[in-house]
Amino acid sequence: MKRALLSVAPFCLVLYVRANTYYSTNNAAPNLTSSWHTSRTGSGSPPSNFTVGDIFIIQSGQSLTTTANWTISGTNGKLVIETGATLQANNKITVPSFEIDGS
């Protein structure tokens, strides 16, 4: 009778996910992905969704008003409102972390 030796070597997979930062660029509804871009000037790409832990910054001088419920989720997901910016929540907003920049 032959014996077979089965060896399973454990391995470790490290996955590093870096959050993107998106900026409000057009005073539009914040719950729409088209209202956000990777550059403060409105260039760059918009997010594909709000669920992967990205950071969303409402820029000073901008006024955004929700048109539907808005959820930001994922590890490290955050909403930042800069000094001089306004967010009017006409609908429910859910975020893992919230920051008001400045005073």
Side-chain angles (χ1 to χ4, degrees):
M1 171 187 261
K2 293 185 178 179
R3 293 184 182 189
L5 177 61
L6 177 61
S7 175
V8 178
F11 66 92
C12 180
L13 174 63
V14 176
L15 181 61
Y16 177 73
V17 178
R18 182 174 175 205
N20 289 315
T21 299
Y22 295 96
Y23 300 91
S24 61
T25 55
N26 56 10
N27 288 318
N31 49 283
L32 303 174
T33 56
S34 59
S35 300
W36 302 94
H37 292 86
T38 52
S39 171
R40 284 186 176 271
T41 63
S43 62
S45 58
S48 56
N49 57 54
F50 297 108
T51 63
V52 294
D54 293 325
I55 299 166
F56 297 88
I57 299 176
I58 300 176
Q59 297 188 81
S60 179
Q62 299 217 347
S63 179
L64 282 68
T65 302
T66 60
T67 58
N69 291 344
W70 180 33
T71 299
I72 296 172
S73 62
T75 303
N76 301 320
K78 181 188 259 187
L79 173 62
V80 177
I81 301 176
E82 292 182 338
T83 300
T86 304
L87 173 61
Q88 182 171 325
N90 290 340
N91 307 87
K92 181 179 177 181
I93 299 174
T94 306
V95 295
S97 181
F98 177 75
E99 178 181 318
I100 296 177
D101 184 36
S103 57

